Amino acid sequence: MITKDVIDGVISDYDLNRLSIATICSHSALQIFHGARQLKFKTIGITTIDRRVIYEAFPLAQPDEFIEVQSFKDVLDESVQGKLRDENAIIVLHGSFVEYVGAEGILRQLLVPTFGNRLTLLWEGDRARQRLWLEKAGLKLPKEFKGLSDVNEGCKVFVKFPGAKGGRGYFTAKGGHDLSVKLEEAVKKGLIESFDQAVIQEFVSGVRYYFHCFYSPFAQGGLRVGSGRLELLSMDKRIEVIDEAYRGLPDVPLEFFDYTVTGNMPVVIREAFLKEALAMGAKVVEASRSLFPPGLIGPFCVEAIYHPERGFIVFEVSARIVAGTNLYPTGSPYTPYLFHDWQMSTGKRIALEVKVGLETGRLKELLY
Ligand code: AMP
């Protein structure tokens, strides 16, 4: 694994007057480039040839320079990494970056500084470890079943597979028998090799909220965590195919029982609930600080279901910029209460943090 010391060495060789911000052209790249450009950073988009057109179609969010690759994984090639270092690049990781390049490749081979603490990849990508993290944070989590025998008849469960992306392939089952039939099918389809690879959770019903948080080690005032500030920048609700199944259709087609994310809707939450939303974000950061110092830095998302009797139950944390923030390129209903320059997207917030790190001589604290 590439250590923080090695990355610090790379930063020491950088020309800090000519920093650039780079990412893969996908996911939330328009927002990342747009924000970085507003703060006068040079931007670099690593793109496959077919995607270039998207970024050229939005000139104000187009990267200043493209690096064309055959496949996104090529970002790990020494030639691409060398170009990025020559441009004094800071990489912003996003969901597609991690999906296409892989956490292992990033941890073992990426010799270009990334924004935030890349150790979060170790804790986020593995479901069991992520659960340890969230338990340490003292959050309410969905009950998890050890195996088939643990599930009573009549109990509704939610099943996830390792490495499933964007909810694809998840399913619900009612009781042990139904569950075993569906797990057999999953083995036959090659989704899992054995039953023990499936994560079996209680099905939590309620209203979903996705809270977009940002932890800044530098910002003053506001909600203090450690010596930094926890900011609740915005929130959304994902639109998943399954949502359509609740439209009251008499015979819901089978393919609609699908949790794939297809879009995002803007959301504000009842003001009294902000207390809990902030507390969940703060607890996630606090726990991360002791599990993998210096802990989470920058954007992350707390994903929770509000149950009228049980309150907020957290089913996942995404430890980086999430695509739901794409709703707010010019700020959210909350950013005017955090920034005088309130047109603050998450992409711009990242660039602002880099700028402050640069101006205060503390850039290395933000990068790994
Ligand atoms: P995830 O991959 O954990 O982000 O989950 C994808 C989607 O599955 C979420 O957006 C929820 O709609 C749903 N989901 C995840 N966990 C549960 C659960 N325990 N109970 C009910 N729905 C869930």
Side-chain angles (χ1 to χ4, degrees):
M1 199 171 92
I2 292 171
T3 61
K4 165 80 170 134
D5 283 348
V6 171
I7 295 294
D8 281 349
V10 174
I11 303 165
S12 297
D13 290 339
Y14 269 14
D15 177 351
L16 297 182
N17 296 314
R18 291 181 50 249
L19 279 184
S20 60
I21 291 188
T23 196
I24 274 178
C25 289
S26 180
H27 191 271
S28 44
L30 286 169
Q31 193 201 138
I32 293 167
F33 297 141
H34 182 242
R37 287 174 54 133
Q38 284 178 293
L39 289 166
K40 311 282 181 243
F41 286 105
K42 178 176 178 179
T43 48
I44 301 175
I46 303 140
T47 191
T48 49
I49 294 152
D50 59 316
R51 295 232 181 172
R52 201 175 157 134
V53 61
I54 302 174
Y55 299 85
E56 287 169 341
F58 296 101
L60 302 184
Q62 178 181 333
D64 296 298
E65 191 181 323
F66 285 105
I67 299 179
E68 280 187 359
V69 288
Q70 291 294 320
S71 108
F72 285 133
K73 241 190 155 75
D74 298 346
V75 72
L76 296 177
D77 285 357
E78 193 32 53
S79 61
V80 177
Q81 294 204 39
K83 268 190 215 161
L84 290 168
R85 284 192 298 270
D86 288 347
E87 290 293 341
N88 311 291
I90 295 168
I91 287 182
V92 177
L93 298 176
H94 52 56
S96 300
F97 199 119
V98 178
E99 187 176 334
Y100 298 138
V101 181
E104 205 174 300
I106 295 168
L107 288 165
R108 289 203 183 169
Q109 295 174 51
L110 189 62
L111 254 171
V112 181
T114 57
F115 182 78
N117 178 359
R118 65 172 83 175
L119 291 181
T120 51
L121 290 169
L122 283 175
W123 286 84
E124 181 207 19
D126 177 309
R127 281 197 207 289
R129 274 192 153 195
Q130 180 172 127
R131 195 164 172 99
L132 283 178
W133 174 10
L134 301 183
E135 277 170 0
K136 188 169 175 69
L139 299 173
K140 273 186 230 161
L141 308 178
K143 181 176 174 204
E144 218 157 273
F145 300 95
K146 288 196 183 68
L148 257 180
S149 54
D150 220 16
V151 178
N152 295 328
E153 274 322 303
C155 172
K156 188 167 178 185
V157 292
F158 193 84
V159 181
K160 308 179 182 187
F161 298 130
K165 295 290 177 303
R168 196 164 291 131
Y170 291 3
F171 66 83
T172 56
K174 196 106 192 254
H177 177 68
D178 187 27
L179 177 61
S180 71
V181 172
K182 288 178 172 166
L183 283 175
E184 297 272 10
E185 267 171 39
V187 173
K188 272 190 207 140
K189 282 189 197 154
L191 291 169
I192 42 170
E193 282 163 17
S194 59
F195 284 13
D196 56 6
Q197 285 184 314
V199 175
I200 307 165
Q201 294 184 343
E202 67 168 316
F203 179 87
V204 182
S205 47
V207 194
R208 286 169 294 128
Y209 292 93
Y210 301 75
F211 300 107
H212 313 151
C213 303
F214 189 97
Y215 180 67
S216 163
F218 305 152
Q220 305 293 314
L223 180 61
R224 310 308 298 163
V225 180
S227 51
R229 172 164 110 169
L230 188 277
E231 296 166 0
L232 181 60
L233 292 183
S234 51
M235 53 191 83
D236 80 296
K237 182 177 178 180
R238 285 186 192 163
I239 306 167
E240 296 171 341
V241 180
I242 183 78
D243 299 337
E244 286 297 293
Y246 298 115
R247 258 197 314 160
L249 305 175
D251 297 303
V252 180
L254 217 58
E255 64 269 26
F256 277 75
F257 289 91
D258 181 307
Y259 290 81
T260 306
V261 183
T262 60
N264 304 82
M265 287 189 298
V267 161
V268 287
I269 202 163
R270 195 174 145 182
E271 196 151 303
F273 287 167
L274 284 173
K275 185 175 170 189
E276 279 159 275
L278 290 162
M280 288 187 284
K283 285 176 180 176
V284 167
V285 174
E286 267 160 16
S288 74
R289 286 162 61 82
S290 60
L291 287 174
F292 48 97
L296 249 184
I297 291 169
F300 66 100
C301 181
V302 178
E303 307 182 1
I305 297 174
Y306 178 77
H307 184 280
E309 280 155 21
R310 297 164 68 190
F312 288 97
I313 300 176
V314 177
F315 58 90
E316 180 142 317
V317 164
S318 293
R320 62 201 127 64
I321 185 169
V322 289
T325 62
N326 288 341
L327 286 163
Y328 307 108
T330 55
S332 79
Y334 298 99
T335 51
Y337 312 137
L338 282 164
F339 307 100
H340 292 293
D341 171 16
W342 51 270
Q343 294 201 326
M344 186 66 68
S345 69
T346 297
K348 186 171 167 188
R349 183 68 189 88
I350 292 169
L352 176 64
E353 197 72 357
V354 172
K355 187 166 176 252
V356 174
L358 202 56
E359 287 169 355
T360 54
R362 295 177 63 186
L363 186 64
K364 281 185 182 168
E365 290 175 46
L366 297 174
L367 309 179
Y368 177 3

